[in-house]
Amino acid sequence: PPRSTLFPYTTLFRSAIGLAGGLIASASLSTSGLITWTAGMAATDGSVAKALTDLAFVTGGAGFVVPFGLLLAGVAIPSLVLRFVPRWLAWAGLALGAIGMLATFSLVFPVLDPMLPIGRFGGLIWLCIVSVLLPHSRPRRAQGVPEQRTAPANEPTMTKA
């Protein structure tokens, strides 16, 4: 990984994207379930039930897959940069995240509807695979001991004569 003062903050930002995506995705799915339950209870009034069913689809379809795509990207980018998983697997997570983001347009263009299950189920399978491959812990540095930096091959080193 690159050694710069900005690097830890960018990793933290990417982690925040994954956390926010996961929280919003779970809230969207929960909201969709509650709306579906409410639509079932309002079955006597057809227009209200239809409106609630449409709202449940929006919150459980694009409303879920888009933040879920953020979660996938928030896990895939640090995994790619820090090489926690094979590169092809991290790129697959980014591709699934992009599909999830593009699924927003399925609300306007019905031809893009297949992106919803691809983003949802493909992303779920990807998360299961990555959860098995991610390391369980990171090596810890000793407290008070600065990290040793080795010079790359093309960087001159200072030696005492």
Side-chain angles (χ1 to χ4, degrees):
R3 304 264 181 201
S4 74
T5 56
L6 183 60
F7 183 69
Y9 301 109
T10 57
T11 303
L12 178 64
F13 177 69
R14 290 180 197 129
S15 299
I17 289 174
L19 176 64
L23 290 173
I24 296 169
S26 62
S28 296
L29 209 52
S30 299
T31 303
S32 176
L34 287 172
I35 294 169
T36 302
W37 176 79
T38 305
M41 300 306 272
T44 57
D45 186 2
S47 61
V48 172
K50 171 71 171 124
L52 288 173
T53 303
D54 289 344
L55 184 59
F57 173 75
V58 169
T59 57
F64 167 76
V65 177
V66 172
F68 189 59
L70 281 176
L71 170 65
L72 296 176
V75 173
I77 291 173
S79 296
L80 180 66
V81 171
L82 299 173
R83 297 193 173 119
F84 285 152
V85 298
R87 294 180 65 81
W88 66 269
L89 188 60
W91 281 108
L94 282 173
L96 287 166
I99 288 171
M101 299 294 176
L102 291 173
T104 305
F105 297 111
S106 68
L107 296 172
V108 179
F109 305 108
V111 73
L112 298 177
D113 282 348
M115 291 182 138
L116 293 169
I118 291 171
R120 174 177 277 177
F121 298 114
L124 181 61
I125 292 168
W126 184 85
L127 273 179
C128 290
I129 293 169
V130 168
S131 68
V132 170
L133 296 178
L134 280 175
H136 295 292
S137 64
R138 294 180 64 180
R140 294 180 182 229
R141 292 186 306 175
Q143 293 247 342
V145 178
E147 185 176 338
Q148 299 263 335
R149 182 177 179 268
T150 57
N154 60 353
E155 187 177 305
T157 57
M158 308 235 354
T159 57
K160 290 186 176 182

